[in-house]
Amino acid sequence: MAKSTTKMLEYENQMFLDLFHEDGLIITARGLGIERILLNFLKLYCDPANLVLVLNVSSQEEEYLVEQLEQTGVTPLPKVITNEYSTNERHSIYMQGGVLFVTSRILVVDMLTERLPIDLVTGILVYKAHKIVESCQEAFIMRLYRQKNKTGFVKAFSDSPQSFTVGFCHVERVMKNLFVRKLYLWPRFHASVVSFLDTHKPDVVELHLQLTPSMVACQTALLDLINACVKELKRCNPGLDTDEITVENAIGKSFEQIIRLQLDPVWHQLGAKTRQLVADLKTLRLILQHLTQYDCVSFYNIVNSIRTSERTFGQNSGWLFLDSADSLFAHARERVYGSSQKAKKVKTDKTKSSAENQEPILEECPKWKALGEVLKEIEEENQNADPSIGPGRVLIAADDDRTCNQIKEYLCDGGHSLLMRLFIKAQAVKAAGQTKPDAAPAESYKGKAKGKGKSVKSAGKAETKGSSSEVTLTQMLDEHKDDMPQQDQAKDSSEPIAASSSDGYFGVLKSPVTILHPLHGCSDVHGLTRTLNDVKPQFVVLYDADMVFVRQLEVYKASHPGVPLRVYFLMYTGSVEEQKYLTTLRKEKEAFEMLIREKATMVIPEERDGKMVDDPYLSRDTTAANATVNTRKGGIQKETDVQHKIIVDMREFRSELPSLIHRRGIDIEPVTIDVGDYILTPDICVERKSVSDLIGSLNSGRLYNQCVSMSRYYKRPVLLIEFDPSKPFALQFNKYISSEISIQDVTSRLALLTLHFQKLRILWCPSPYATAELFEELKVGRSQPDAAAAMAITAESQVGQDSEKYSHASKDLLLKMPGINSKNYYRIMNKVENLAELLTLSEDKIGEILGSETNAKSLWDFLHSEHKRTESAVSGGSKASTSKGWKGYKRKR
């Protein structure tokens, strides 16, 4: 494997020095190599004399960073701390120093239990800083860190400027959570970046391709349909932000997030038409992607499947009946069968069947022909290449794995052969009676297995072993290898290229040596970077435009000034593909311009870095600023307030609630407990459920067992149902709540739960913030819980003065009788042998045992009164079972 260079570029040196000299948040444009800056900081602090923590890094990114440091000979390498290490082992690793990758949940627990010496931490590096919000675990870690360490550094990294444009003063709030005062902005149009990259430009060849007339007609029809759906969506929902819901945004990948962001909080209140419009927009966007991304057969299959599906036809919001829809279906068929069968109205089944039984025309994608010409040009240039450099390798970057599969088959078999095979397969599936021969690529091509990084042939074997039920295009290629010409088989058997990326297709062609790699949907987020460093291509073909990869190529060329690089840029002129690329560039530029304006007007207090002793942001006092103060205290000394404490189960640190509880000035003690999630007092135990978890627990019966355990061991068991403010929710979507009890109904199950567990209290909280405030109010005037006692209680343990002597079933039966309550049932169980003896006691004797004549009378009347049968009991039940009553039951026993 080739050695990866860690030599920084000129503008990267400036980034590094700015952040090294003064803590802050650095935001770069996507693709400029933010991971290279982080890598050099890791290299700087990889020393046992330091103790540096790295937050918010995924396992794949950890593996990549450690691998890069290992290749440059850095020792000691960073360590990754997971739950596989015991508490003593983690403490030992902390004391050894160096750079540590730690998951947020483990780090929070170790900080609270003081296994990590916070005062000895040299600093913290925070990756993907745009995700740091006030209630997240990383913000909790930063508060704990700054409370006990005033000298360590904090350096944060982000390459997502658009994430900071959501909400009010988002970047300022992130900086507040990170305890940094400086903001460093590095857009692509930064003067230092522009001047340096302009001196190391790769040779760019732009190929502007024209869509075929049928493709233009399909694109126009689809845009008209999307525009109609967007207008109808705005008409049905006047409260939507009309600036965001546009056709231009609808063709982008983030449109679904824009829609969900506005509709999720009220999703359960929306009508069926609005929901169907959202689903139809998703369908139309998928069809639009198929138009420029895949072949004509796949495009026709998905369009035809929507029209022939009764479910889709009946549920659509009306776009299927527009003239643009007829135009779309006609031109999609024209790409497969030719213009002779063009029709604007729906044909009869007989005419359609006769049309589709003729010889297909099969229109090839314009990009296929352009790609073949580019590779031919490269092959001719390699024949006259400089012997000292040798023939150049070719890297083809396409949007996703399915596109790479089709390009590979086109290069091996040719366009007509590929289209005919897909057409025959579609006809065979249709003849078998399946109405959806070619579903969405995300569903039909899930069977892509890892391990195809060595060669095309090994890819097919790996995928065949990985999935037997789903067929990919790679497996289809292997099935038809016997029909391939001999020269293509010779190409396929080319010598494999050593590479570490598992997503690339290597050895596709022998001359020139060609590698295919998807831009999105990779199993390795750094797969393209690995491929560039391993293969070192002299020619790169951008089959699909991608802003991030274009910048990665610029950085790669600047890092390898002696290596020639030519980039072929394939783009459909006047297409949604071109508009999508330009929109991405414009949105990032607007995001940086907004951040530049916000930085110019930002007011940052001196104590923002958290290094002052009396930093108000680190204060955990939740007293309101307008709270009334009693001025008539005289010389009375103020009573010292008791420090509140809550025992929290270890598993709860995946949620936001522990962080918010600590923020309100309540100490939290993380332990592993079997009964409950939060122990507020020795008597109050809380089981927290999100809405989805509540429904799942009710269905599985797990909630019943949890309520049994809490009711047995705590006097005040509490079920906390916590909502997510950003998600929709309704226990019942109907306008009214049914009066009938149904075991399938969530509200009915909750009602039965409260009837069965009379001590159980249910709390409904709109958000974790409200939950933390409620916990604080519940603890006022109550004693603090004991962690040892909470840990001693398990689902199988027996606690209490009666647990070892009497069964819980007997106690539950007694508590259901009139006159018996939680205060006097012990007396009955201690003084009376069994139920038969209780029936023989007089009312005075029962009153003497219970200590209350009223309770004794209620119990005696219940045991000895004649209970009359109701009409329904007489008519519905058997005579044998209804005639015995209580006394008959007693005689049977």
Side-chain angles (χ1 to χ4, degrees):
M1 185 181 294
K3 290 279 185 180
S4 64
T5 177
T6 56
K7 184 179 179 181
M8 288 187 291
L9 306 179
E10 184 178 317
Y11 68 88
E12 290 177 339
N13 274 318
Q14 189 176 345
M15 291 183 191
F16 180 86
L17 292 174
D18 288 346
L19 197 56
F20 175 74
H21 288 304
E22 192 165 359
D23 295 353
L25 166 63
I26 182 170
I27 304 174
T28 69
R30 296 189 64 195
L32 285 188
I34 190 74
E35 68 277 356
R36 290 163 58 94
I37 309 299
L38 176 62
L39 195 65
N40 281 276
F41 272 106
L42 297 180
K43 183 179 179 182
L44 175 66
Y45 293 116
C46 274
D47 188 284
N50 300 315
L51 177 55
V52 177
L53 307 174
V54 187
L55 301 181
N56 225 15
V57 182
S58 66
S59 57
Q60 286 187 354
E61 291 163 341
E62 290 170 358
E63 181 182 350
Y64 172 77
L65 293 170
V66 172
E67 179 185 321
Q68 296 299 309
L69 291 173
E70 186 178 8
Q71 291 177 12
T72 55
V74 174
T75 55
L77 290 172
K79 298 183 181 66
V80 180
I81 297 181
T82 62
N83 55 5
E84 296 178 358
Y85 292 97
S86 65
T87 55
N88 294 330
E89 290 174 337
R90 293 205 300 268
H91 178 72
S92 176
I93 293 174
Y94 292 140
M95 299 307 295
Q96 293 174 11
V99 175
L100 302 177
F101 294 105
V102 195
T103 61
S104 299
R105 187 176 69 89
I106 291 177
L107 190 55
V108 165
V109 173
D110 287 346
M111 281 182 158
L112 292 171
T113 56
E114 298 184 352
R115 296 190 193 100
L116 170 66
I118 301 178
D119 56 323
L120 300 181
V121 175
T122 309
I124 296 180
L125 302 174
V126 184
Y127 197 50
K128 291 180 283 194
H130 52 274
K131 296 184 178 181
I132 308 300
V133 295
E134 183 184 14
S135 58
C136 71
Q137 296 292 346
E138 288 76 18
F140 189 16
I141 290 171
M142 300 308 301
R143 286 204 307 274
L144 294 174
Y145 170 64
R146 272 296 177 236
Q147 284 173 0
K148 296 185 178 180
N149 190 321
K150 304 293 184 181
T151 59
F153 64 78
V154 176
K155 305 185 189 302
F157 308 82
S158 175
D159 63 347
S160 181
Q162 289 175 254
S163 300
F164 292 96
T165 61
V166 180
F168 180 71
C169 294
H170 186 66
V171 66
E172 189 173 353
R173 286 186 280 115
V174 170
M175 293 172 64
K176 184 179 179 181
N177 295 328
L178 291 169
F179 296 95
V180 294
R181 301 183 65 251
K182 288 289 185 179
L183 176 63
Y184 305 101
L185 300 176
W186 285 87
R188 174 61 180 85
F189 55 84
H190 194 287
S192 301
V193 179
V194 172
S195 62
F196 181 78
L197 292 182
D198 283 350
T199 59
H200 300 86
K201 279 186 176 181
D203 183 16
V204 180
V205 179
E206 295 186 9
L207 300 177
H208 296 281
L209 309 175
Q210 296 294 331
L211 294 170
T212 64
S214 298
M215 294 176 71
V216 172
C218 290
Q219 177 178 276
T220 303
L222 282 168
L223 290 177
D224 288 343
L225 294 173
I226 291 176
N227 186 36
C229 289
V230 167
K231 286 183 177 179
E232 187 66 16
L233 185 64
K234 290 180 179 179
R235 190 188 67 81
C236 296
N237 301 274
L240 288 179
D241 185 1
T242 55
D243 294 336
E244 293 289 337
I245 313 297
T246 61
V247 177
E248 182 185 5
N249 287 335
I251 64 177
K253 292 186 176 180
S254 60
F255 182 70
E256 289 183 20
Q257 297 177 358
I258 296 173
I259 288 287
R260 287 291 179 185
L261 190 65
Q262 298 193 39
L263 294 183
D264 260 355
V266 293
W267 184 258
H268 61 289
Q269 300 175 1
L270 297 177
K273 187 171 184 179
T274 300
R275 298 187 186 188
Q276 189 58 46
L277 282 168
V278 174
D280 289 345
L281 280 171
K282 184 177 181 180
T283 302
L284 291 171
R285 292 174 68 248
L286 178 64
I287 299 174
L288 191 60
Q289 179 192 11
H290 272 62
L291 176 64
T292 57
Q293 200 67 44
Y294 306 118
D295 58 277
C296 62
V297 178
S298 299
F299 179 73
Y300 176 65
N301 285 341
I302 189 173
V303 171
N304 193 47
S305 67
I306 291 173
R307 189 168 198 173
T308 56
S309 171
E310 293 183 6
R311 181 174 179 270
T312 307
F313 192 83
Q315 291 184 356
N316 85 96
S317 56
W319 66 268
L320 271 173
F321 309 111
L322 299 177
D323 293 339
S324 298
D326 292 337
S327 174
L328 171 65
F329 298 134
H331 288 96
R333 187 184 303 113
E334 178 185 342
R335 296 184 65 198
V336 178
Y337 295 102
S339 58
S340 60
Q341 299 300 328
K342 180 177 179 182
K344 291 190 175 181
K345 292 187 177 181
V346 182
K347 298 184 177 182
T348 63
D349 294 338
K350 183 176 180 180
T351 308
K352 286 170 64 179
S353 62
S354 62
E356 295 179 1
N357 287 332
Q358 67 170 358
E359 184 69 22
I361 303 300
L362 300 179
E363 177 184 272
E364 290 191 14
C365 297
K367 280 189 178 182
W368 289 359
K369 183 179 179 181
L371 179 62
E373 294 174 353
V374 167
L375 293 177
K376 186 176 180 181
E377 176 186 329
I378 293 173
E379 185 177 4
E380 293 174 355
E381 193 164 324
N382 278 340
Q383 293 176 358
N384 303 322
D386 187 354
S388 61
I389 301 178
R393 294 171 176 171
V394 182
L395 173 63
I396 303 175
D399 185 71
D400 55 18
D401 185 70
R402 184 180 178 184
T403 309
C404 290
N405 268 308
Q406 287 202 346
I407 295 173
K408 179 191 65 178
E409 293 198 46
Y410 167 75
L411 296 177
C412 294
D413 291 355
H416 186 71
S417 175
L418 167 61
L419 292 174
M420 279 302 298
R421 186 160 64 249
L422 291 174
F423 179 78
I424 293 171
K425 179 191 174 187
Q427 293 297 313
V429 172
K430 184 178 180 181
Q434 298 186 15
T435 57
K436 294 185 72 175
D438 192 64
E443 298 176 358
S444 298
Y445 294 87
K446 291 179 181 177
K448 182 177 78 70
K450 296 182 180 179
K452 58 178 181 295
K454 298 301 180 184
S455 65
V456 176
K457 194 169 184 179
S458 64
K461 292 181 179 179
E463 290 174 356
T464 304
K465 293 179 181 178
S467 175
S468 59
S469 59
E470 295 174 334
V471 181
T472 64
L473 286 177
T474 307
Q475 294 169 342
M476 289 166 51
L477 177 65
D478 292 331
E479 293 172 3
H480 292 276
K481 261 187 188 289
D482 296 335
D483 301 329
M484 291 170 55
Q486 293 295 324
Q487 60 269 26
D488 290 336
Q489 293 187 18
K491 292 177 184 178
D492 191 53
S493 60
S494 60
E495 184 177 342
I497 302 169
S500 55
S501 176
S502 62
D503 295 289
Y505 295 80
F506 301 88
V508 177
L509 295 178
K510 185 176 182 180
S511 178
V513 177
T514 305
I515 301 96
L516 286 164
H517 202 288
L519 292 166
H520 306 107
C522 302
S523 60
D524 182 7
V525 292
H526 296 286
L528 268 175
T529 307
R530 294 176 190 268
T531 304
L532 282 174
N533 292 325
D534 294 339
V535 178
K536 289 188 168 51
Q538 295 183 21
F539 305 96
V540 176
V541 181
L542 269 172
Y543 188 85
D544 294 303
D546 183 70
M547 178 189 70
V548 177
F549 187 54
V550 168
R551 291 174 179 167
Q552 287 177 348
L553 290 174
E554 290 182 309
V555 173
Y556 171 77
K557 173 59 180 173
S559 304
H560 302 80
V563 179
L565 179 64
R566 180 184 300 170
V567 180
Y568 292 90
F569 208 94
L570 305 185
M571 178 79 75
Y572 287 123
T573 304
S575 66
V576 292
E577 179 189 36
E578 182 183 29
Q579 183 60 45
K580 190 187 304 182
Y581 179 73
L582 296 176
T583 302
T584 306
L585 292 173
R586 178 180 59 81
K587 285 191 173 182
E588 188 187 76
K589 182 182 177 183
E590 291 176 351
F592 268 114
E593 289 174 347
M594 176 181 171
L595 288 174
I596 291 170
R597 291 193 301 269
E598 191 169 345
K599 180 181 178 181
T601 59
M602 192 183 301
V603 178
I604 302 176
E606 287 291 333
E607 65 272 9
R608 173 60 57 81
D609 54 8
K611 295 183 178 181
M612 295 179 61
V613 179
D614 54 347
D615 187 356
Y617 187 64
L618 291 174
S619 173
R620 296 168 61 196
D621 184 13
T622 57
T623 304
N626 59 352
T628 56
V629 180
N630 185 8
T631 59
R632 304 185 63 182
K633 295 178 181 178
I636 301 176
Q637 187 176 0
K638 182 182 178 181
E639 297 181 1
T640 57
D641 294 332
V642 178
Q643 179 58 44
H644 292 297
K645 180 179 72 171
I646 292 179
I647 297 171
V648 183
D649 185 35
M650 290 282 195
R651 295 174 287 269
E652 280 296 303
F653 282 91
R654 298 185 179 93
S655 68
E656 301 174 345
L657 187 53
S659 170
L660 299 175
I661 292 174
H662 186 270
R663 184 67 186 272
R664 297 194 68 85
I666 302 175
D667 290 342
I668 56 178
E669 186 170 351
V671 296
T672 302
I673 52 179
D674 288 349
V675 178
D677 294 327
Y678 297 86
I679 310 300
L680 306 187
T681 70
D683 297 334
I684 301 178
C685 173
V686 179
E687 179 71 29
R688 187 187 71 89
K689 296 288 183 186
S690 63
V691 175
S692 58
D693 192 17
L694 171 70
I695 297 173
S697 300
L698 285 171
N699 292 334
S700 65
R702 182 162 52 94
L703 182 58
Y704 176 83
N705 297 328
Q706 292 171 334
C707 291
V708 168
S709 300
M710 288 195 298
S711 300
R712 286 178 180 174
Y713 307 129
Y714 292 96
K715 294 182 179 179
R716 295 182 178 87
V718 176
L719 172 62
L720 169 69
I721 302 174
E722 192 174 83
F723 299 89
D724 185 351
S726 62
K727 297 294 181 183
F729 169 69
L731 280 176
Q732 189 163 325
F733 284 98
N734 299 331
K735 298 299 182 182
Y736 63 91
I737 296 180
S738 175
S739 59
E740 298 181 359
I741 297 294
S742 172
I743 196 63
Q744 284 78 26
D745 189 21
V746 176
T747 52
S748 298
R749 291 182 176 182
L750 277 177
L752 291 173
L753 192 72
T754 54
L755 288 173
H756 190 81
F757 299 100
Q758 298 181 2
K759 292 196 302 181
L760 182 67
R761 298 293 178 263
I762 298 181
L763 301 179
W764 305 80
C765 290
S767 69
Y769 291 88
T771 304
E773 184 177 358
L774 184 61
F775 279 7
E776 184 179 19
E777 294 176 358
L778 289 174
K779 288 188 63 63
V780 173
R782 292 184 170 93
S783 57
Q784 306 306 313
D786 182 22
M791 293 173 65
I793 297 176
T794 63
E796 293 80 17
S797 64
Q798 299 289 334
V799 296
Q801 53 182 319
D802 68 316
S803 296
E804 296 182 359
K805 296 171 61 177
Y806 311 114
S807 69
H808 294 287
S810 302
K811 183 180 74 174
D812 292 341
L813 177 62
L814 273 178
L815 286 171
K816 294 183 184 301
M817 295 183 181
I820 303 294
N821 53 46
S822 58
K823 296 181 179 180
N824 59 22
Y825 77 94
Y826 286 116
R827 300 176 181 178
I828 291 289
M829 299 185 80
N830 290 330
K831 298 288 182 66
V832 182
E833 182 67 23
N834 50 34
L835 192 59
E837 183 181 347
L838 179 63
L839 289 169
T840 61
L841 298 179
S842 64
E843 183 178 344
D844 295 337
K845 184 62 176 178
I846 295 176
E848 182 182 340
I849 296 175
L850 293 179
S852 170
E853 295 182 359
T854 304
N855 291 336
K857 180 173 177 31
S858 300
L859 179 59
W860 195 90
D861 289 343
F862 171 74
L863 295 176
H864 297 87
S865 298
E866 290 291 337
H867 299 279
K868 296 182 180 180
R869 293 170 292 173
T870 61
E871 293 296 331
S872 59
V874 174
S875 60
S878 64
K879 294 182 179 179
S881 61
T882 56
S883 61
K884 290 184 293 187
W886 177 266
K887 295 182 179 179
Y889 177 76
K890 176 189 172 186
R891 288 194 298 269
K892 183 179 178 182
R893 297 292 293 172

